[in-house]
Amino acid sequence: MDEFELDSRRDIYAAVSDQPGVHFRGLLDRLDFAQGTLQYHLRELADAGLVEVSDDGKFTRYYPADEFDDEDQRRMNALRRQYSRRIIAHLLADGPLTTSELSDRLERSPSTISWHLSKLDDADLVSRRRDGQRVYYAVRDPDRVRYLYVVHRRSFTDGVVDRLLGLWDAY
């Protein structure tokens, strides 16, 4: 059977293509499918090699096959999380920054910022440099992260990051 013979699979694939890194709940909210139906069709698309599945530690995310390597999937997974995306934006705009500087900018507790930075570090998206008592964080491969954000900007709903980075005209 042609995997795109069914309208439902075409719709699911289009949603994944429009919003790479979308998680299951995001697809449920966007599409008018029952949970079991969506799970079934996603599994069929994955088995056919049309959709890739990525686990970011909290969500299972979906990507069009062969469009994102593992590193770009990790970057997009981070960009899909609101506070990780905002941390990355501040680091890109003004980094390197410390946890306390990010905490002040984002108006979140240092422990919350530390948790997100830890996840970003585990995903190899940020680097840290110790300077005495302070630890500074910076984005690894900032050009690639900026590129991914700009190319997929329409699938993010974060005007704060758009304004902070002012990237839309950069590419």
Side-chain angles (χ1 to χ4, degrees):
M1 173 171 132
D2 175 14
E3 294 305 320
F4 291 127
E5 186 176 322
L6 300 173
D7 289 342
S8 53
R9 290 205 189 133
R10 283 194 303 272
D11 292 345
I12 293 167
Y13 184 82
V16 170
S17 293
D18 287 346
Q19 194 174 6
V22 63
H23 59 79
F24 185 78
R25 179 67 55 198
L27 287 170
L28 272 178
D29 291 345
R30 181 174 175 176
L31 302 168
D32 190 28
F33 292 113
Q35 184 172 334
T37 301
L38 181 59
Q39 287 171 326
Y40 171 78
H41 288 300
L42 282 169
R43 190 172 35 254
E44 290 294 314
L45 289 168
D47 289 348
L50 297 168
V51 169
E52 292 180 359
V53 181
S54 174
D55 182 0
D56 75 358
K58 184 174 181 181
F59 294 106
T60 299
R61 297 189 179 274
Y62 300 92
Y63 291 90
D66 302 325
E67 291 187 29
F68 294 84
D69 63 17
D70 290 343
E71 288 181 38
D72 279 350
Q73 284 183 14
R74 282 197 313 272
R75 291 177 185 116
M76 287 296 290
N77 288 349
L79 288 172
R80 289 277 168 225
R81 293 187 303 270
Q82 180 182 15
Y83 284 102
S84 292
R85 181 173 57 251
R86 290 182 178 183
I87 288 168
I88 288 169
H90 281 282
L91 293 174
L92 288 171
D94 300 318
L97 298 169
T98 66
T99 301
S100 62
E101 291 169 328
L102 287 164
S103 175
D104 291 343
R105 288 168 180 239
L106 293 166
E107 299 177 348
R108 293 287 179 248
S109 71
S111 63
T112 298
I113 300 301
S114 290
W115 184 87
H116 285 285
L117 285 168
S118 169
K119 296 298 178 189
L120 291 168
D121 187 38
D122 290 347
D124 206 27
L125 296 174
V126 297
S127 61
R128 15 181 198 179
R129 177 183 50 84
R130 182 170 290 282
D131 184 14
Q133 295 276 1
R134 299 179 138 202
V135 177
Y136 289 89
Y137 292 87
V139 175
R140 293 184 191 272
D141 202 354
D143 290 338
R144 186 64 183 170
V145 173
R146 278 187 189 98
Y147 172 80
L148 288 170
Y149 184 81
V150 169
V151 167
H152 300 287
R153 177 184 169 271
R154 65 182 169 80
S155 72
F156 298 108
T157 55
D158 200 337
V160 171
V161 173
D162 290 348
R163 286 188 303 278
L164 183 62
L165 294 180
L167 286 176
W168 190 238
D169 296 327
Y171 287 91

